[in-house]
Amino acid sequence: MDASIIALIIIGVALVLYITEPIPIAVTSILACLALAIFGVIPINTAFSGFGNDIVYLMAGMVVVGNTLFETGVAQKIGKLIIRLVGSNEKVFIIILILIATIPAAFLSNTAAAAMMLPIATAAIAASGGKFSKKNTYMIVGIAAVTSGGLTVVGSPPQLIAQNLLQEGGHNTIGFFELSLVGLPVIALLILFYLTIGNKLQKKVFNFPEVAEDASTFSLDTDSDKPKSVVKMWISVAVLVFCVVGFISGLWTVGIVAMVGASVCIITRCISQKRAYQTMDWTTIIVIACSLGLSAGLDQSGAGNLIARTVVDFLGEGVSPWFLAAALALVAVILTNFMSSTATAALLIPIAISIALDLGFDAKSMAMAVVIAGNISYATPVSTPPMTMTLSAGYRFMDYVKIGGLFTLLAYVLVILLFPFVLSF
């Protein structure tokens, strides 16, 4: 049997297991990667190569840095400050988080933004005395981080891939803030969605008990009498600042920056090695790493290319530029929910540029359609790292489908309606 068909079958079975959850989602991810290796789709070292990916090191390092902020008491102080600013209104709290997340996501990366924002959100939730909850907060913050990463050409990898391919081909490149013409309306739509049907739908769908941190993890008791070291508090703040500056400077990869920060936290005993292990979100780490393996399976087997080519061939040569852009965006949205946005962009953008040139359309516009779609995929926890990080709130796979999937649909409709005003047809 062709490797691409085998890969599609394995991904399909994994999808069923993700939806029904008869076994933990992390175990499903591992088994899917094992199946790709067992059936010869990709080598086993490729199937599990995600564990050596820079994004995984970013995740692991920032979890340690974020938990260090709790250990030293900094996060609790930030949480109390946010509570004083927003009061007890959870809607206002979440809108503030959405707006705050847009800045680091646009100028650093959406993954780095989520890694920094979620610990701060947790601190504020803990300080709220039960007025705010992780389950009503985390997914929205993840969606905001993913969307905001699409505001500039440096917010997420698809933009950088598109820029490189367009430049190498001698085509017009994307302006630094050009994507904001679509990204900002999607952010506005997210706020409107949450203030209306989103908030009510969340309360109906998220009917599981609130995830509580136990004594084996970091303390969320903001009124604890345990004395905190001022020196360690300042060290943890300095480490966080170092990470932000490191992400912006681009001197090292984001994974190296995060791991250096985590190492400093442990060396200075702001957090012990034992606590660093105890507070690590292993499920998220495993799912992110394995999702990269699944992505490699789709890519190297040709399954992703098969899907893309099938859709494009179905459209025919007489397709309009708007309809082609909408179709490419739809394929990108679907693929990004099951393979990384980076892999989707690397796969689809060359195809989009090639088709555009063959049909006499603007190459930059078709590349932008794929890029934009890669930043509006929220229907699964494996779609992008920021969405995977939110798993720690206790969400089930179908929770993402019902909430993130609905907003993905709304965002897709909005962006394709904006295409004639943003893209050059």
Side-chain angles (χ1 to χ4, degrees):
M1 188 181 294
D2 187 75
S4 61
I5 301 301
I6 295 174
L8 289 174
I9 292 173
I10 292 172
I11 299 299
V13 172
L15 176 60
V16 172
L17 293 176
Y18 280 143
I19 293 172
T20 57
E21 292 194 52
I23 56 178
I25 188 173
V27 177
T28 295
S29 299
I30 291 173
L31 290 175
C33 288
L34 280 173
L36 289 172
I38 290 171
F39 289 98
V41 177
I42 52 176
I44 191 166
N45 60 329
T46 302
F48 290 99
S49 61
F51 286 93
N53 189 277
D54 196 59
I55 294 297
V56 173
Y57 292 120
L58 167 66
M59 261 296 304
M62 289 308 295
V63 167
V64 174
V65 172
N67 291 344
T68 298
L69 295 175
F70 279 93
E71 289 290 319
T72 59
V74 172
Q76 289 89 332
K77 289 183 178 295
I78 295 174
K80 284 184 173 181
L81 175 61
I82 293 176
I83 294 301
R84 283 200 294 269
L85 292 174
V86 305
S88 59
N89 191 316
E90 190 175 51
K91 286 186 177 181
V92 174
F93 168 62
I94 292 176
I95 291 171
I96 293 297
L97 289 179
I98 291 172
L99 295 176
I100 293 175
T102 60
I103 298 173
F107 295 99
L108 303 177
S109 76
N110 55 19
T111 305
M116 289 186 292
M117 287 300 301
L118 292 178
I120 293 174
T122 302
I125 291 165
S128 71
K131 296 183 179 67
F132 305 156
S133 67
K134 292 174 74 172
K135 63 183 179 182
N136 288 338
T137 305
Y138 267 39
M139 191 179 294
I140 292 293
V141 172
I143 292 174
V146 173
T147 306
S148 300
L151 294 177
T152 68
V153 293
V154 298
S156 63
Q159 291 93 288
L160 300 175
I161 293 172
Q163 285 289 75
N164 183 55
L165 291 173
L166 289 170
Q167 188 172 15
E168 286 184 354
H171 309 294
N172 293 329
T173 55
I174 305 170
F176 191 84
F177 288 107
E178 193 170 357
L179 293 167
S180 297
L181 297 174
V182 175
L184 289 176
V186 177
I187 291 291
L189 178 66
L190 176 61
I191 294 174
L192 179 63
F193 171 77
Y194 176 73
L195 289 176
T196 54
I197 60 173
N199 183 47
K200 295 179 180 178
L201 189 60
Q202 278 193 165
K203 292 178 179 178
K204 182 179 180 180
V205 172
F206 302 155
N207 54 11
F208 53 85
E210 176 72 6
V211 174
E213 311 293 347
D214 56 35
S216 66
T217 24
F218 46 80
S219 171
L220 295 181
D221 182 5
T222 56
D223 297 319
S224 173
D225 293 329
K226 181 181 177 180
K228 303 292 184 182
S229 168
V230 176
V231 173
K232 290 182 178 180
M233 291 177 71
W234 279 109
I235 290 175
S236 63
V237 171
V239 168
L240 180 61
V241 172
F242 161 79
C243 290
V244 173
V245 173
F247 294 150
I248 295 174
S249 69
L251 181 62
W252 297 327
T253 68
V254 290
I256 291 176
V257 171
M259 293 303 288
V260 168
S263 299
V264 171
C265 290
I266 295 173
I267 291 171
T268 57
R269 299 188 178 182
C270 290
I271 187 172
S272 69
Q273 177 178 298
K274 181 179 180 181
R275 297 286 281 164
Y277 287 141
Q278 287 177 333
T279 57
M280 181 60 63
D281 185 1
W282 295 110
T283 295
T284 300
I285 296 296
I286 291 171
V287 171
I288 285 181
C290 289
S291 69
L292 296 171
L294 296 177
S295 173
L298 282 171
D299 185 16
Q300 295 184 25
S301 69
N305 187 64
L306 175 63
I307 295 171
R309 281 294 181 184
T310 300
V311 172
V312 171
D313 290 343
F314 175 77
L315 295 176
E317 294 185 0
V319 64
S320 69
W322 175 85
F323 199 82
L324 176 61
L328 288 169
L330 179 60
V331 174
V333 166
I334 293 172
L335 288 180
T336 303
N337 276 296
F338 299 101
M339 59 191 288
S340 76
S341 59
T342 303
T344 300
L347 173 70
L348 278 184
I349 291 174
I351 294 174
I353 292 175
S354 176
I355 294 172
L357 295 177
D358 288 344
L359 298 179
F361 298 154
D362 180 51
K364 171 186 167 183
S365 295
M366 297 307 155
M368 283 182 63
V370 175
V371 168
I372 291 167
N375 290 302
I376 58 167
S377 298
Y378 330 100
T380 72
V382 298
S383 58
T384 55
M387 295 305 292
T388 309
M389 292 179 202
T390 65
L391 277 169
S392 58
Y395 301 123
R396 299 151 299 195
F397 189 90
M398 285 304 297
D399 293 333
Y400 290 90
V401 175
K402 293 175 181 176
I403 302 297
L406 175 59
F407 187 69
T408 297
L409 178 61
L410 294 174
Y412 172 76
V413 171
L414 174 62
V415 299
I416 63 172
L417 290 176
L418 290 173
F419 277 173
F421 305 98
V422 177
L423 307 183
S424 300
F425 291 151

